[in-house]
Amino acid sequence: MSETRKDTQGSPLPSDELLTVSEMVRRTGVAASALRFYEELELIAAVRTAGNQRRYARHMIRRVSLISVAKRLGIPLSDVQDAFADLPRDATPSQEDWQRASGRWKRTLEEQRRGIERLEEELMGCIGCGCLSMKACGLLNPDDALAGGGSGPRRLD
């Protein structure tokens, strides 16, 4: 006997379009605990069976894969949340949905790239000066002015 599963609006979903937690783990390489965490953050969504087991729509594989890539690149999950904010979770996103999300994400990545390039330029200048002291460095931190802003990497803020 096959059970009918429903999306968040109560519409029936075909069972061949739904994946179990173990199938999602196998397909994405992401731990079940991470999938639950992503659900809590509303990055992905699951439907529940009559027995209260999670099932994931097949299109969630793409979301989980993008989350994994973002993590590898050091992109915070909050940035992923922003990029996914307008994507439907209860239906397969359209090409336009993905283009909108990728455009938002591209702007974030461009800002990060510019920040890394600035850091690289500053570090190359600092290493090249030979003073070996960030405290005494007249080029990047004249008179140790950055110390007034607190501890840690002040120039990255």
Side-chain angles (χ1 to χ4, degrees):
M1 180 171 135
S2 93
E3 61 183 294
T4 303
R5 298 180 186 122
K6 301 186 180 208
D7 66 15
T8 55
Q9 273 73 43
S11 303
L13 290 169
S15 60
D16 64 339
E17 288 297 313
L18 295 174
L19 304 171
T20 64
V21 172
S22 60
E23 288 170 323
M24 280 293 281
V25 168
R26 184 178 52 78
R27 293 285 305 272
T28 64
V30 171
S33 58
L35 294 173
R36 286 190 299 275
F37 180 63
Y38 298 156
E39 276 185 71
E40 288 174 23
L41 295 177
E42 298 183 353
L43 291 168
I44 64 173
V47 295
R48 297 293 185 144
T49 66
N52 204 30
Q53 295 177 329
R54 285 180 170 87
R55 295 292 186 267
Y56 296 95
R58 192 167 299 283
H59 66 86
M60 289 295 153
I61 293 172
R62 176 180 274 182
R63 283 176 172 260
V64 174
S65 297
L66 288 171
I67 294 166
S68 297
V69 168
K71 284 181 59 182
R72 258 196 321 253
L73 294 173
I75 298 169
L77 289 177
S78 59
D79 288 353
V80 178
Q81 282 176 309
D82 291 343
F84 285 6
D86 295 329
L87 290 176
R89 285 183 298 139
D90 58 351
T92 303
S94 68
Q95 183 176 2
E96 293 81 24
D97 291 331
W98 281 115
Q99 286 175 341
R100 216 174 23 261
S102 66
R104 188 177 306 119
W105 208 349
K106 182 179 180 186
R107 288 187 293 278
T108 300
L109 292 173
E110 286 172 347
E111 289 171 16
Q112 290 177 344
R113 180 183 44 79
R114 284 190 295 272
I116 290 169
E117 288 171 351
R118 270 194 319 276
L119 176 63
E120 179 184 24
E121 289 171 13
E122 290 177 0
L123 286 175
M124 291 301 105
C126 184
I127 291 168
C129 90
C131 74
L132 302 177
S133 170
M134 285 298 286
K135 234 178 191 179
C137 182
L139 177 67
L140 293 179
N141 191 14
D143 302 320
D144 197 21
L146 295 175
S151 61
R154 308 310 314 159
R155 295 190 59 88
L156 292 179
D157 295 338

